[in-house]
Amino acid sequence: MYVSYKFSPRLAFKNFSLFRFASSNGNSLYEWNTQITNCFKRGDIKTAVQVFDEMPQKNVVTWNCMVSGYVHNGRIPEARKVFNEMPSRNVVSWTALLSGYARCGRVEEARGLFEAVPDKNVACWNAMLSGYVRNGQIVEARALFNAMPMRNSVSWGTMVEGYFSQGLVSEAELLFGQARVKSVSLCNTMLAGYAAMGCYEASYELFTKMARRDVASWTSMINCCCRAGRMEKALNIFQNLPQRDVVAWTVMVQGYVRSGQIEEARKLFSEMPRRDIVAWNSMIGGYVQNGRLGDALELFRKMPRTNIVTWNTLLLGYVRQDDMVGACQFFQEMPRKDITSWNTMIAGYPSEEALILYLQMLQAGLRPDQGTFTCVISVCGTLAVHGWGRATHTCVIKSGYENDTLVITSFISMYSKCGFMNDAALVFGRMTLKDTVAWNSMIVAHAYHGSVFETLNLFHCMIEAGFKPDHATFLCVLSACAHSGLVDKSWIYFRSMESHWNLIPKAEHYACIIDLLGRSGKLAEAYQLVKQLPVDNLSYDWEALLSSCRVHDNFELGDLVAQNIFGGQPFNVGMSVLLSNIYAARGMWEDAAKVRASLKRHGVKKELACSWIEMKAQVCPFVYNDKTHPQIEDIYVELESLSEIIKDIGANRRISCNALLFTR
């Protein structure tokens, strides 16, 4: 007698034996495989493995579900282990694993697998092509595309998308022109690319020439108008759309949100005949982006159903408002937490709390991704905890992110901030794919350590390697020159920004020049330059000049600079303290008292100086004039000893123990 079972995941979790019905039933194996896939989609890897182990029989689809599931969750080592244990493989098995390697930046290993595939089909070729495109290796992608024995619309679309992702609009258009069949999907890829690059005119021209359009075509054109800020045109196309689906409505809502027209977005959202979860999340995301967390929470309470994206968006809203108490409470209330949830919380803490959360995330069984590692590495650099940084580096390698450009670039910054320049240089040297950000990080590292020769040498190496310096690059170079007093070289690099690289200097670049002139004692020249600057926001420049006036005891010019700073600028705590010190140095006690009184009126207290060191895997903070450390007497004895040593080697400084930093 045939018995029909209604599949229940909840029941399956409690008792896997319910699935042990006759193996002759064709639906049995299908439901087992479906259960594995669903578990992986939910991130429930433990249950997926349990289901796999309980299966009375397995086929190649079952094994492929495991490989694909591990890849989907970023667990490449486990995926490779299952792949190696497979009794038989098909092209899907190979394609799934090579896609996983490509996703985490391990392109060479993906290519090795690709070459080993016995019978490649077009899907396998497309997976490798997508891997190159995803990792920005557009030259290798085109070479593979040219070598393909067969291509479909996905192949052409992937290559076109790759060109757009690199900003190569002309190459994308040229390739599109070579396609014999201009399918609707390929045209839609072009429309999406034009939208991403802000090419409104080209997008509209293609849209009008399309012989056939589907809803995605209309939606892409609406999206392009929205991104170009042409909301009236977007609305016109939307109203002429033959059949509006929920996606088209949602794109219009997102367009209004992006343009800051939040009320228009809410009005259109209210008019939607049907709303899906994406529409609700878009509107909530709009409120969060515009700093209206209260409205977002109000809409959240009206939602018929929520998903993890909803909760993560609201969590981000708390973090953006620096309400970490509210964020923690909301985080605890979340019915389910994914890697994005944890990353949001970790990113919200700039100190050791982030590292504690990172450990809790690992204990919860979640695998860190690119976002996790970049946040944690950044905190390690900020706190200068080298031990934590090295441990994280080991975890990165084990997780398969050792070739991820963004993650590895973060290590350059971390090692340099911890004082380990050799390690930073080693990481940079081993990078297989360097981009402008990676070069900038290494240049920043040398500038941070005052190595002006290495900074300038690396700058020229970057140009010789074919990379174009950007605003961040020149800021590092100018900063290094400023701290080394290289006035003439600074002017050369500064003027080359616009004349040679077509980069308009920003306020920060002018501030470096002002700082350099100030450090060199050329205060009058610096003052004349500030007055002539074609920059709207001059606060950086005036502040740099005031600092120089303090250093060189030029009190008359300091008064003029102070008038410019406090005349039309918001209240500035740092500059107020500096001005107070200038008045005190001149014996102008009444003026100094007035500035201090202004600080009190604004409810501002100068934060106590604080530093920290890492000892035995713990961060030990030191705060000014604190005497609560249990070993305070031993610390004072050691400080006195160090003072004597410094005196003996010829240091002309006296260290006052009361002015040093002590552990809280």
Side-chain angles (χ1 to χ4, degrees):
M1 179 180 176
Y2 178 79
V3 180
S4 176
Y5 288 91
K6 183 177 180 180
F7 182 73
S8 172
R10 182 178 299 176
L11 194 58
F13 295 156
K14 295 181 178 179
N15 190 351
F16 291 111
S17 63
L18 290 176
F19 279 99
R20 293 176 177 167
F21 45 89
S23 60
S24 60
N25 181 356
N27 290 330
S28 173
L29 195 55
Y30 170 79
E31 290 195 2
W32 283 92
N33 294 339
T34 302
Q35 175 67 1
I36 291 174
T37 301
N38 290 337
C39 288
F40 275 120
K41 285 182 178 179
R42 292 192 301 269
D44 190 358
I45 299 174
K46 182 178 179 181
T47 304
V49 174
Q50 287 178 321
V51 173
F52 179 78
D53 292 339
E54 287 284 328
M55 291 182 68
Q57 67 180 74
K58 305 176 181 74
N59 59 8
V60 68
V61 177
T62 311
W63 290 88
N64 286 344
C65 288
M66 292 296 295
V67 174
S68 300
Y70 277 128
V71 167
H72 177 75
N73 287 272
R75 299 201 171 191
I76 307 305
E78 290 89 337
R80 185 58 191 254
K81 183 174 182 295
V82 172
F83 178 84
N84 292 338
E85 294 173 354
M86 291 181 69
S88 63
R89 308 181 187 112
N90 59 17
V91 70
V92 177
S93 320
W94 291 89
T95 303
L97 188 59
L98 77 85
S99 296
Y101 278 120
R103 282 181 185 177
C104 63
R106 299 164 69 173
V107 185
E108 294 302 321
E109 291 171 89
R111 184 60 190 254
L113 279 171
F114 174 77
E115 296 296 342
V117 178
D119 297 311
K120 303 180 185 71
N121 61 10
V122 68
C124 185
W125 283 88
N126 287 341
M128 191 64 240
L129 183 67
S130 178
Y132 279 131
V133 167
R134 178 188 291 269
N135 288 276
Q137 299 185 27
I138 198 67
V139 175
E140 292 81 357
R142 184 56 192 262
L144 186 73
F145 179 82
N146 293 338
M148 291 181 70
M150 64 195 96
R151 305 184 188 115
N152 58 13
S153 60
V154 176
S155 316
W156 288 90
T158 301
M159 197 64 233
V160 166
E161 183 181 349
Y163 279 130
F164 273 119
S165 68
Q166 298 296 309
L168 304 173
V169 179
S170 298
E171 285 80 354
E173 291 175 332
L174 183 62
L175 184 65
F176 176 73
Q178 294 171 359
R180 294 181 180 179
V181 179
K182 306 290 193 297
S183 64
V184 175
S185 63
L186 181 57
C187 289
N188 289 346
T189 302
M190 285 295 295
L191 290 174
Y194 281 138
M197 298 302 298
C199 303
Y200 166 76
E201 288 78 9
S203 178
Y204 190 71
E205 181 181 355
L206 175 61
F207 179 74
T208 55
K209 290 180 179 179
M210 289 178 66
R212 189 168 64 89
R213 309 182 189 116
D214 58 11
V215 177
S217 312
W218 287 84
T219 304
S220 294
M221 192 63 239
I222 293 171
N223 185 36
C224 187
C225 293
C226 292
R227 286 179 175 270
R230 300 174 180 249
M231 292 308 301
E232 291 185 6
K233 186 65 176 178
L235 183 60
N236 180 261
I237 296 175
F238 174 74
Q239 291 172 340
N240 291 325
L241 204 160
Q243 185 178 1
R244 301 175 202 160
D245 62 1
V246 68
V247 177
W249 282 90
T250 303
V251 168
M252 277 301 300
V253 170
Q254 292 171 343
Y256 280 123
V257 166
R258 190 181 294 112
S259 63
Q261 303 179 54
I262 195 69
E263 297 303 333
E264 291 295 327
R266 181 56 191 265
K267 180 182 177 183
L268 194 67
F269 176 80
S270 301
E271 294 174 359
M272 291 181 69
R274 186 176 69 86
R275 307 183 190 104
D276 61 4
I277 192 71
V278 179
W280 283 92
N281 288 341
S282 298
M283 194 63 239
I284 287 178
Y287 280 132
V288 168
Q289 289 174 25
N290 286 271
R292 295 168 59 172
L293 181 59
D295 292 325
L297 289 169
E298 181 181 349
L299 198 63
F300 169 70
R301 299 184 188 100
K302 296 178 181 178
M303 291 183 69
R305 67 183 182 89
T306 62
N307 62 6
I308 189 65
V309 176
T310 318
W311 289 84
N312 286 340
T313 303
L314 289 167
L315 182 65
L316 179 63
Y318 281 107
V319 172
R320 281 186 173 180
Q321 292 191 356
D322 292 327
D323 182 8
M324 293 310 297
V325 174
C328 286
Q329 183 178 351
F330 191 79
F331 183 72
Q332 296 300 326
E333 294 173 357
M334 292 180 69
R336 185 171 73 87
K337 304 175 184 71
D338 64 0
I339 190 66
T340 304
S341 318
W342 286 94
N343 287 350
T344 302
M345 288 297 295
I346 291 171
Y349 287 108
S351 55
E352 58 267 22
E353 289 91 343
L355 302 181
I356 295 172
L357 272 171
Y358 173 61
L359 288 179
Q360 292 175 352
M361 188 196 81
L362 296 178
Q363 291 168 357
L366 278 82
R367 293 292 293 266
D369 63 2
Q370 183 195 68
T372 317
F373 285 129
T374 51
C375 288
V376 172
I377 296 166
S378 176
V379 171
C380 290
T382 302
L383 297 178
V385 285
H386 181 249
W388 269 90
R390 289 190 65 85
T392 306
H393 202 158
T394 302
C395 189
V396 164
I397 294 172
K398 289 182 178 179
S399 301
Y401 284 90
E402 67 270 23
N403 293 321
D404 187 287
T405 305
L406 185 60
V407 173
I408 300 305
T409 300
S410 300
F411 276 119
I412 296 173
S413 177
M414 184 274 293
Y415 281 125
S416 67
K417 288 180 179 179
C418 292
F420 291 82
M421 280 301 298
N422 289 337
D423 288 347
L426 188 63
V427 170
F428 179 75
R430 288 179 175 175
M431 289 184 70
T432 56
L433 184 64
K434 298 182 179 72
D435 58 7
T436 303
V437 178
W439 282 95
N440 284 350
S441 296
M442 199 62 217
I443 292 173
V444 168
H446 284 300
Y448 182 82
H449 284 266
S451 306
V452 64
F453 176 78
E454 288 81 358
T455 301
L456 299 182
N457 181 57
L458 202 60
F459 172 74
H460 291 290
C461 288
M462 172 184 177
I463 296 173
E464 291 173 2
F467 291 90
K468 179 183 176 182
D470 56 15
H471 284 94
T473 316
F474 277 103
L475 186 60
C476 299
V477 170
L478 292 175
S479 178
C481 290
H483 284 82
S484 300
L486 303 178
V487 179
D488 294 336
K489 277 189 174 294
S490 290
W491 277 115
I492 292 173
Y493 289 121
F494 181 80
R495 288 170 180 143
S496 73
M497 288 181 65
E498 192 168 359
S499 63
H500 190 73
W501 300 105
N502 198 29
L503 294 171
I504 306 299
K506 297 182 179 180
E508 310 91 85
H509 303 95
Y510 281 105
C512 279
I513 296 295
I514 301 298
D515 183 43
L516 175 58
L517 293 173
R519 287 172 182 267
S520 304
K522 301 179 179 181
L523 299 179
E525 186 179 344
Y527 180 63
Q528 292 301 320
L529 178 61
V530 174
K531 291 196 301 181
Q532 299 172 8
L533 290 185
V535 182
D536 295 332
N537 184 6
L538 299 177
S539 60
Y540 292 124
D541 310 290
W542 287 117
E543 290 168 12
L545 186 54
L546 181 61
S547 226
S548 298
C549 291
R550 170 72 176 88
V551 172
H552 293 282
D553 295 330
N554 192 327
F555 302 122
E556 290 75 14
L557 183 57
D559 286 337
L560 291 175
V561 174
Q563 291 173 14
N564 283 280
I565 291 178
F566 296 101
Q569 298 291 334
F571 182 75
N572 189 309
V573 179
M575 289 300 100
S576 296
V577 173
L578 181 58
L579 185 61
S580 174
N581 292 337
I582 290 176
Y583 287 144
R586 298 175 64 183
M588 301 170 62
W589 304 112
E590 291 185 5
D591 293 312
K594 288 179 181 179
V595 177
R596 295 286 179 177
S598 177
L599 286 169
K600 289 183 178 179
R601 282 198 306 273
H602 285 84
V604 177
K605 290 184 178 180
K606 190 173 184 293
E607 292 186 4
L608 296 178
C610 178
S611 63
W612 49 85
I613 60 173
E614 182 188 14
M615 292 183 60
K616 298 180 180 180
Q618 289 187 339
V619 178
C620 303
F622 291 79
V623 180
Y624 171 80
N625 204 32
D626 183 54
K627 300 179 180 179
T628 60
H629 195 282
Q631 295 177 287
I632 190 64
E633 293 183 1
D634 295 333
I635 293 175
Y636 269 104
V637 170
E638 189 64 28
L639 284 173
E640 291 291 350
S641 175
L642 288 173
S643 298
E644 294 300 322
I645 293 174
I646 293 174
K647 290 177 183 177
D648 291 341
I649 63 175
N652 294 321
R653 297 179 182 177
R654 289 182 176 272
I655 298 180
S656 173
C657 294
N658 291 332
L660 291 176
L661 309 174
F662 294 100
T663 305
R664 279 183 287 191

